Every structure is written in structure tokens, then in C-alpha cells.
């Protein structure tokens, strides 16, 4: 058994070089071969991508996926720790899993970011004894061993490490889409925003080798993929840890040369965004003009308390520069309300920034204290109702601008990459514009996997309607 340790998780090595190794296949316990698995994923894109690896490994060991948990012999919850409600969802779902386990012999496991918290491990050990195994983000590639040990020893197996982090190349993946693929370019995070648990759950910021990334994109293109999304918590800091003269701008240009139709990248931290990167976004024909640029707050006092390392003026400067240089850009953001010490005046400054930037869209959150993070120790005396009211006011503003941004597209022809049948209306298709706007499309032909011209016929707050034009 190995338990995580928040103090270890905070340490960053001086040498800052991650050990890169290839995935080693291990035979899974015979009792599982030919059986069905059920995986549920809760978190961000990185967590989803890990989910694709979990599925890929299980398939490579002879299991098949089911989306009906009652058919499964093994259930894995791939969790997120970023806010308390992510925890609540998992513990809620565990109740259902427990009932199922009373009627049937199944293996139950938890992985992802939650096991990286010691308090979660302690709770699972004391109160959720029916959970068979847990592993964390650092030993995802050891999943089969952890499962085998829990079967062999017939007891709860917990293997969670806190360490700077390695890079495991070549894990099998079962991708959710055959059109658009996630590609990790950087793991972990070194920014330590004071509210955020990710640097503790995912380890130090470490970049994959650019040759490996380009090779992966070339391979995806060969398989028929139309789009890749380059993933990292701070993609603009890509390469800093391993190269002197190779950064995200170089990487975008090199990935662009593969000729894959669409390249996206998330998330951009304002701090590491250089002019060279803005030029690369504008100049590379396959790089989409969509930038997710979290601002988090509009008051310099709060930004400082959050350790975001920019002021609102610096953010606005960067924002305007991107708007100026990148034609038809879409810029979205993340905002937290109710950070400890946020006064009404501070919150008004956030609203002011939203008015200045007129974001195309935003994800908004009420601050959620995370164990062992510096912000959790700050005095937080804003009542919950006031935080909720702030969120409500903020959302009204965000929705207004996102609606306006969509209205501007009314009557225009947009290039859309069609990903699937529309969830809302199965007679339609759904896809995304270059600027990452969701469009529901009328078409007589099956257009899935194609980039088509779509005339926008209706604009709503969160989506567009359109029809294919030749
Ligand atoms: N690396 C990305 C964000 C990852 S988490 C970045 O720096 O932008 C996604 C979003 O969750 C963050 O941008 C932040 O707005 C929100 N978030 C993170 N920790 C939070 C917390 N403790 N409470 C509320 N929201 C939080
Ligand atoms: Fe969290 Fe900040 Fe790192 Fe983003 S940059 S993952 S918000 S610590
Ligand atoms: Fe992602 Fe949640 Fe972990 S946002 S990195 S899955 S804490």
C-alpha cells in the first residue's frame, strides 16, 4: 500500500527532468478476460484522455466496454478533485455502486485526481471498504498490476504516489471519437494558484518531447482524424522545462506542417503568452483562432491573493493584442466568484472586466476551498447567499455577451467540423465552427467527419442552428 502525501506533492525537483519511459504490458488476472468493464469519467479534458487510456488498456487485455453498469464485472470511477461538488458526485455514485455490489460480484476501483488526496484515501479505507482498489494519476500505467494485486490478496489495494511525475509513452487508447483527438503536450502544473489542487494531484509541469507529439499527430492524421486538441494545464509554458529554444509557437508551427485539418490547444495561462505565439496562431492555417484565456478575477487584489501573476491591466493588454492580431478570434475565459476576501468592490471590478472584454463565453464557478491549498487557510467571511447572488449576476452578463457573440454570426457562412448526430435533435448533426461554437445542422446527407460550409440560421445563447450550403 502507498498513500499520497500533500507535502511531497508540493515539492518540485531542481533538475526538473521527467523520466520518460514506454508502457509495459502486463497480463490481467484471468478471471477478467472476456468480461465487461464500465468506466465513468468526471473531470477535465486531461481526465477524459486518461479515461481513454484506461479503456485502451482494458481492451488490450481482452475486456469489452459496456455503458450499462449492471453488465460490468469491473467498475472504474475516474475522478476529479477540483471543486467539492466533483467529490460529492463521486461519493453519491458510490452509493449506487454499493447496492449493485450487494447483488453481484464486481470489482470497484477509483482513480484520477481524488485518490491523490490523503483525506480521500483515509475515508475510502475507513468507510468504503467495498472499494477494491485505488490508484492515482502518477501510476495510471500500473493499473493492471493494482487490479491484479487486489484480486490476488482479496483486500483493498491502495497504490497512490506523490512525486514530481514521469511521462509514460505509448499506452493503448480507446478514443471516444474517430474525428477529433486529444493529444497531451504537457502534464502537471507548477503555477500553484492558491485556490487550486491540480499542482498537487498532477505533479510538476513537464513537457513531452516535440518529436513524440508530432509523430502522434501524423499517426492520427493517417488514421483519418480531422482535429487534434493539444492538452496541458498551461500550454503556453510548453517546452520551458526541457528546451532552451523550443516553445508552443514552434510546436504549433511543426504540428501545422503535418497538414491535419484543425489544431486546437487548451489551456492558455495569460502569464506565458508571447507575441511569437500569437503570430503562430494567426499564421498557421490549421491552427484554430480559439483561445481559452482564464482571467479568474478582475480585481488586482484578488488576482494577487490567487497568485495569478498578472494584473487586470496586463490581462487586458494581452486580450486586446490577441483580438487585434488574430482574425475572427473567439476568446473564452474562466472566472471564480467568492474567493476569500472578495468584497463587493472587487466583484464589481470583475464585472467591469467582463464588460471590457465581452468574452465569447465563460465557465464560472463559486470558490471551493481545497484541502491543503494556501487559499483554504484564508479567512472567508462572505456568506454563501452573497456568493450565489454574485454568480447569478456574473452569469447574466456572461450570457448576454455570449448571446451577442453568437448573434454576430447570424446569416454568415461558417466552416464546421461535424462530429456527431445532434444530441438535442437526432434528425440533425452537430459540430464546431473554427471559433469553437456549437452548431446544430440540418442536412439530408450524412456529413459526420466532414468539414462543411454552414449558413447560420439561428443564434441562441449557447448554440447556433444552421444548414449546409454548397
Ligand atoms: N489550468 C487551467 C485551469 C484548470 S481548472 C488554468 O489555469 O486556467 C479549471 C478551472 O477551474 C480554473 O480555471 C478555475 O476557474 C476553476 N477552479 C480551480 N480551482 C477551483 C476552486 N478551488 N474553486 C473554484 N473554482 C476552481
Ligand atoms: Fe490550477 Fe493555476 Fe495550475 Fe491552472 S495554472 S492548473 S488554475 S494552479
Ligand atoms: Fe482535471 Fe479535475 Fe484533476 S480538473 S486535473 S481531473 S482535479
Amino acid at each position: 500500500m502507498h498513500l499520497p502525501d500533500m507535502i511531497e506533492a508540493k515539492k518540485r525537483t531542481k533538475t526538473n527532468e521527467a523520466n520518460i519511459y514506454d508502457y509495459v504490458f502486463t497480463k490481467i488476472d484471468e478471471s477478467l478476460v472476456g468480461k465487461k468493464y464500465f468506466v465513468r469519467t468526471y473531470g477535465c479534458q486531461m481526465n477524459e484522455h486518461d479515461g481513454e487510456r484506461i479503456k485502451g488498456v482494458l481492451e488490450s487485455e481482452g475486456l469489452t466496454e459496456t455503458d450499462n453498469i449492471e453488465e460490468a464485472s469491473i467498475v472504474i470511477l475516474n475522478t476529479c478533485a477540483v471543486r467539492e461538488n466533483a467529490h460529492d458526485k463521486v461519493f453519491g455514485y458510490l452509493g449506487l455502486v454499493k447496492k449493485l455490489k450487494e447483488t453481484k460480484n464486481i470489482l470497484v476501483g477509483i482513480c484520477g485526481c481524488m485518490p491523490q488526496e490523503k483525506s480521500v484515501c483515509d475515508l475510502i479505507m475507513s468507510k468504503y471498504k467495498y472499494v477494491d482498489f485505488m490508484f492515482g494519476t502518477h501510476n495510471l500505467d500500473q493499473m493492471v498490476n493494482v487490479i491484479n494485486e487486489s484480486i490476488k490478496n482479496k483486500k483493498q489495494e491502495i497504490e497512490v504516489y506523490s512525486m514530481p511525475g514521469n511521462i509514460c509513452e505509448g499506452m493503448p487508447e480507446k478514443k471516444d471519437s474517430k474525428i477529433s483527438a486529444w493529444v497531451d503536450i504537457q502534464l502537471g502544473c507548477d503555477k500553484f494558484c492558491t485556490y487550486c489542487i491540480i499542482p498537487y494531484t498532477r505533479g510538476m509541469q513537464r513537457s513531452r518531447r516535440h518529436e513524440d507529439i508530432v509523430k502522434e499527430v501524423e499517426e492520427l492524421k493517417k488514421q483519418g482524424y480531422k482535429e487534434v486538441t493539444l492538452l496541458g494545464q498551461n500550454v503556453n509554458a510548453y517546452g520551458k522545462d526541457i528546451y532552451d529554444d523550443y516553445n508552443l509557437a514552434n510546436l504549433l508551427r511543426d504540428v501545422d506542417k503535418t497538414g491535419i485539418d484543425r489544431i486546437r490547444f487548451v489551456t492558455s495561462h495569460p502569464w506565458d503568452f508571447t507575441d511569437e505565439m500569437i503570430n503562430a496562431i494567426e499564421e498557421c492555417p490549421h491552427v484554430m483562432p480559439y483561445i481559452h484565456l482564464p482571467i479568474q478575477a478582475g480585481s488586482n487584489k484578488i488576482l494577487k491573493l490567487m497568485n495569478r501573476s498578472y494584473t487586470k491591466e496586463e490581462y487586458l493588454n494581452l486580450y486586446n493584442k490577441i483580438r487585434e492580431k488574430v482574425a475572427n478570434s473567439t476568446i473564452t475565459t474562466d472566472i471564480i466568484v467568492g474567493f476569500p476576501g472578495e468584497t463587493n468592490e472587487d466583484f464589481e471590478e470583475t464585472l467591469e472586466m467582463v464588460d471590457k472584454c465581452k468574452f465569447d463565453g465563460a465557465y464560472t464557478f463559486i470558490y471551493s476551498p481545497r484541502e491543503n491549498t494556501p487559499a483554504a487557510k484564508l479567512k472567508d467571511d462572505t456568506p454563501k447567499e452573497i456568493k450565489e447572488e454574485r454568480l447569478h449576476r456574473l452569469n447574466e452578463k456572461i450570457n448576454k455577451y455570449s448571446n451577442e457573440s453568437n448573434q454576430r454570426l447570424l446569416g454568415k457562412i461558417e466552416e464546421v467540423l461535424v462530429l456527431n448526430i445532434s444530441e438535442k435533435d437526432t434528425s440533425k448533426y452537430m459540430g464546431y465552427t473554427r471559433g469553437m461554437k456549437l452548431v446544430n445542422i440540418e442536412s439530408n446527407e450524412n456529413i459526420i467527419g466532414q468539414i462543411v460550409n454552414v449558413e447560420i440560421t439561428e443564434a441562441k445563447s449557447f448554440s447556433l442552428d444552421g444548414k449546409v450550403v454548397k
Side-chain angles (χ1 to χ4, degrees), residues 227-436:
E227 178 177 77
V228 289
T229 302
L230 309 179
L231 287 182
Q233 296 297 350
N234 294 297
V235 289
N236 299 63
Y238 170 78
K240 272 190 167 179
D241 49 320
I242 46 172
Y243 304 119
D244 292 327
D245 52 3
Y246 194 99
N247 58 34
L248 182 70
N250 304 93
L251 184 69
L252 288 176
R253 290 184 193 278
D254 283 345
V255 175
D256 191 61
K257 284 186 204 131
T258 65
I260 191 137
D261 290 280
R262 288 185 163 194
I263 302 157
R264 301 190 185 279
F265 53 94
V266 277
T267 296
S268 293
H269 190 295
W271 179 243
D272 297 295
F273 222 128
T274 63
D275 289 357
E276 210 187 337
M277 289 169 200
I278 302 177
N279 293 339
I281 297 166
E282 170 57 13
E283 286 161 23
C284 294
H286 303 292
V287 174
M288 295 295 107
Y290 166 69
I291 297 124
H292 185 59
L293 193 69
I295 181 170
Q296 311 296 3
S299 129
N300 286 340
K301 179 190 101 191
I302 298 296
L303 285 171
K304 190 151 197 230
L305 284 173
M306 287 178 162
N307 190 30
R308 285 295 287 183
S309 56
Y310 52 84
T311 60
K312 63 174 178 180
E313 291 81 10
E314 284 165 333
Y315 183 93
L316 198 59
N317 233 339
L318 172 67
Y319 182 91
N320 289 333
K321 197 152 57 178
I322 298 173
R323 282 284 195 216
E324 227 167 77
K325 285 201 180 165
V326 181
N328 301 314
S329 62
T330 299
I331 307 184
T332 56
T333 200
D334 289 347
I335 299 174
I336 298 175
V337 301
F339 187 82
E342 183 188 73
T343 61
N344 263 328
E345 291 72 42
D346 294 318
F347 175 64
E348 290 297 333
E349 287 187 62
T350 298
L351 293 180
E352 257 169 50
M353 282 302 279
V354 173
D355 280 328
K356 283 191 176 142
C357 297
K358 305 185 169 56
F359 295 107
D360 295 287
Y363 298 99
T364 56
F365 312 99
I366 289 185
Y367 167 71
S368 170
R370 306 319 293 136
E371 197 176 278
N372 285 303
T373 57
K377 294 176 193 95
L378 298 175
K379 189 165 148 223
D380 184 7
D381 50 12
T382 312
K384 189 166 158 264
E385 303 74 54
I386 295 202
K387 293 190 180 194
E388 278 165 359
E389 193 200 311
R390 286 183 191 162
L391 183 70
H392 182 73
R393 280 183 66 200
L394 175 65
N395 283 343
E396 283 193 337
K397 222 181 237 313
I398 293 291
N399 295 351
K400 174 178 152 242
Y401 289 119
S402 121
N403 194 302
E404 282 178 18
S405 155
N406 284 349
Q407 295 299 334
R408 285 195 289 275
L409 295 179
L410 202 57
K412 296 252 164 64
I413 311 268
E414 286 283 305
E415 271 177 31
V416 177
L417 171 59
V418 184
L419 294 181
N420 217 330
I421 305 260
S422 165
E423 270 177 33
K424 277 204 185 133
D425 177 352
T426 50
S427 72
K428 291 186 176 175
Y429 294 90
M430 62 74 76
Y432 289 93
T433 65
R434 292 169 58 85
M436 199 65 186

Side-chain angles (χ1 to χ4, degrees), residues 177-190:
S177 162
K178 292 193 160 35
I179 301 160
S180 180
W182 309 116
V183 175
D184 286 336
I185 65 169
Q186 169 205 62
L187 312 174
C189 178
D190 284 346

Side-chain angles (χ1 to χ4, degrees), residues 138-279:
H138 292 292
N139 58 338
L140 183 67
D141 58 302
Q142 290 296 315
M143 174 177 75
V144 173
N145 282 325
V146 177
I147 295 172
N148 286 351
E149 284 300 303
S150 92
I151 295 175
K152 195 175 86 192
N153 302 334
K154 296 194 178 64
K155 66 171 181 51
Q156 199 173 55
E157 184 71 23
I158 298 187
E159 281 292 308
V160 184
Y161 298 86
S162 291
M163 54 195 215
N166 294 320
I167 299 177
C168 178
E169 290 286 346
M171 278 185 80
E173 285 174 18
K174 183 188 182 214
K175 292 195 172 289
D176 293 335
S177 162
K178 292 193 160 35
I179 301 160
S180 180
W182 309 116
V183 175
D184 286 336
I185 65 169
Q186 169 205 62
L187 312 174
C189 178
D190 284 346
K191 287 282 188 287
F192 288 101
C193 302
T194 54
Y195 51 81
C196 185
I197 198 164
I198 294 174
Y200 307 85
T201 63
R202 294 256 164 191
M204 78 174 178
Q205 190 164 286
R206 51 212 193 272
S207 303
R208 283 180 72 203
R209 293 178 291 227
H210 60 80
E211 309 90 90
D212 292 337
I213 298 166
V214 171
K215 210 167 81 195
E216 187 174 334
V217 176
E218 281 168 348
E219 189 50 43
L220 288 164
K221 182 169 182 267
K222 258 191 231 151
Q223 291 170 17
Y225 278 86
K226 294 273 164 35
E227 178 177 77
V228 289
T229 302
L230 309 179
L231 287 182
Q233 296 297 350
N234 294 297
V235 289
N236 299 63
Y238 170 78
K240 272 190 167 179
D241 49 320
I242 46 172
Y243 304 119
D244 292 327
D245 52 3
Y246 194 99
N247 58 34
L248 182 70
N250 304 93
L251 184 69
L252 288 176
R253 290 184 193 278
D254 283 345
V255 175
D256 191 61
K257 284 186 204 131
T258 65
I260 191 137
D261 290 280
R262 288 185 163 194
I263 302 157
R264 301 190 185 279
F265 53 94
V266 277
T267 296
S268 293
H269 190 295
W271 179 243
D272 297 295
F273 222 128
T274 63
D275 289 357
E276 210 187 337
M277 289 169 200
I278 302 177
N279 293 339

Side-chain angles (χ1 to χ4, degrees), residues 43-44 47 79-82 113 197-198 201-202 233:
C44 61
N47 190 236
T79 64
C80 170
V82 78
C113 284
I197 198 164
I198 294 174
T201 63
R202 294 256 164 191
Q233 296 297 350

